[in-house]
Amino acid sequence: MTALFIGVVSHEGSRFAVSQGPGGLAAVLADQLRSLGQSVLVEVSTVDAYDREQLPITPTMVGACLTTQVHLDRRWAKYLGRARGPRWWATHGLRWARRAEQLVRPPGPEMVERLLNIELAHFALLRSGLATGAEWVLILEDDAASIEVVDCAAGLAWLMSSRTDEKQPAYVNISQSFSLDELGLSQLLTVAPDASWAGEARRRILTSARPATNTVCAILYRGSFVRELLAVTDALPIEPVVPIDWKLNLALMQMFATGGLGAGDCWFVDPAPIDQLSMRGTG
C-alpha cells in the first residue's frame, strides 16, 4: 500500500516552476521519505481545468467573490472565538475600504478564473490521492519550500507511521504561512498528547479544539478523511467563488457544526517545516 501521495498545485508559467521538477520540494521530499522506507507517489498538476463556456465569469460574479471574502473574514473570527479588539476591527475596516475602492475600479475576470483553476487543481489532486488508496495525502502549493527537508521527512515519517491505527489527527498543517498569533488560533491550541516531532529541529505538535488551517500551502491529510472532506466540498456551491483557503474553511466549519470533525482532529506543527515563499515576497 502507498504510504503517501504528494500532489503539487502549479500552473504553466509559474514563477515557482522549480516545484514541478526533480529539484522541487515534492520530488526531493519523496526521495528522502523513500530512503526512510516510505512508499511515495508524486503528481504535479499544471492544467487549467476551468471551462469558460460552462461557467462564464460576469462582473456580478467578481463582485460577489470579493464581498463574500470580507464577510467570511468576520464569520471565521467568530468561529475561532478570536478576540476582536480595536486592532482587528481596524484591519477589518480596511478590508471594507478596499472593497469600496474595487467598486470603482473592479478587477477583471482573470482573478476569479485563477481562483477556480486553483480550486479545481486542489480537488483533482485530492481525488488522485484518494484513488491511489494512499494512507496519507500531502497537497503542496508550488510556493511551498523547505531548507530542512531531512528534518521534514523524518517528522512526517514518524507522524504517518505512528498514527496509522489512530483516528486523530484527520489532517496536519505543516506550512509556516502566518504565525499562530496572526491567525488568532493560540487560544485553541494545546500540545498534542503522545506526539513529538521526530526530526532534528525543535518543533511542537499542537492539537486544536476546532479545525482550522494555516492556508492550504502544505497540508497532510489522512487518506480516510479525504473522502469525507470531498463529500462536503462537492456539496458546496461553486458560487460565490472564493479562494481555496476559504472554501476549505467553509467545509471545516460545516463539518465541525455537524460533528464530522471535533477537538483533536486538527494538528499544527510549530514552527512548521515548510515555508510559503509567496508570503515572504521571495522567488
Side-chain angles (χ1 to χ4, degrees):
M1 176 180 289
T2 301
L4 177 66
F5 171 91
I6 303 178
V8 180
V9 178
S10 190
H11 61 96
E12 296 293 338
S14 171
R15 64 191 178 108
F16 302 106
V18 65
S19 67
Q20 302 169 14
L25 176 60
V28 176
L29 184 59
D31 286 342
Q32 187 62 37
L33 284 165
R34 290 181 187 117
S35 74
L36 297 175
Q38 302 288 329
S39 173
V40 185
L41 295 175
V42 177
E43 180 178 330
V44 178
S45 173
T46 59
V47 176
D48 287 343
Y50 162 66
D51 187 336
R52 293 180 180 87
E53 293 185 0
Q54 185 176 13
L55 184 65
I57 297 172
T58 65
T60 300
M61 284 178 63
V62 175
C65 169
L66 296 168
T67 299
T68 300
Q69 289 181 58
V70 185
H71 284 301
L72 284 173
D73 180 52
R74 185 171 180 178
R75 180 179 171 186
W76 184 244
K78 183 178 180 180
Y79 164 78
L80 295 179
R82 183 174 187 176
R84 286 176 283 175
R87 183 175 179 181
W88 187 91
W89 281 109
T91 301
H92 188 67
L94 286 174
R95 290 179 181 270
W96 277 117
R98 285 195 294 270
R99 180 69 192 103
E101 292 177 2
Q102 291 163 342
L103 293 174
V104 179
R105 294 185 293 274
E110 298 80 10
M111 177 203 68
V112 174
E113 181 174 333
R114 186 66 199 132
L115 292 180
L116 284 168
N117 277 317
I118 292 171
E119 176 181 324
L120 291 169
H122 268 273
F123 291 144
L125 287 169
L126 283 171
R127 293 184 199 286
S128 290
L130 185 63
T132 67
E135 294 177 292
W136 296 88
V137 176
L138 172 60
I139 304 297
L140 301 173
E141 293 195 324
D142 64 4
D143 58 344
S146 178
I147 59 173
E148 301 174 293
V149 176
V150 173
D151 166 75
C152 183
L156 292 181
W158 183 89
L159 274 172
M160 293 187 297
S161 60
S162 69
R163 314 306 297 189
T164 298
D165 297 326
E166 303 290 335
K167 292 184 179 180
Q168 293 183 331
Y171 68 99
V172 186
N173 292 278
I174 58 173
S175 76
Q176 189 75 9
S177 301
F178 295 97
S179 72
L180 297 177
D181 286 338
E182 287 175 314
L183 292 166
L185 286 172
S186 299
Q187 77 281 1
L188 296 176
L189 302 175
T190 55
V191 175
D194 304 320
S196 59
W197 187 252
E200 294 183 357
R202 296 185 63 181
R203 309 184 193 277
R204 299 182 300 164
I205 297 181
L206 305 174
T207 181
S208 179
R210 292 189 171 209
T213 63
N214 190 348
T215 79
V216 292
C217 175
I219 298 181
L220 176 69
Y221 302 90
R222 187 181 294 276
S224 56
F225 174 62
V226 170
R227 186 183 306 277
E228 299 170 8
L229 177 63
L230 286 172
V232 175
T233 56
D234 284 349
L236 293 175
I238 191 68
E239 296 182 61
V241 177
V242 293
I244 182 62
D245 312 72
W246 281 121
K247 195 69 171 278
L248 181 57
N249 287 339
L250 280 167
L252 296 178
M253 285 191 286
Q254 181 174 318
M255 295 179 81
F256 181 75
T258 58
L261 282 174
D265 287 329
C266 162
W267 286 13
F268 288 81
V269 179
D270 179 51
I274 292 175
D275 201 36
Q276 187 169 11
L277 295 183
S278 63
M279 300 296 291
R280 311 289 179 236
T282 306

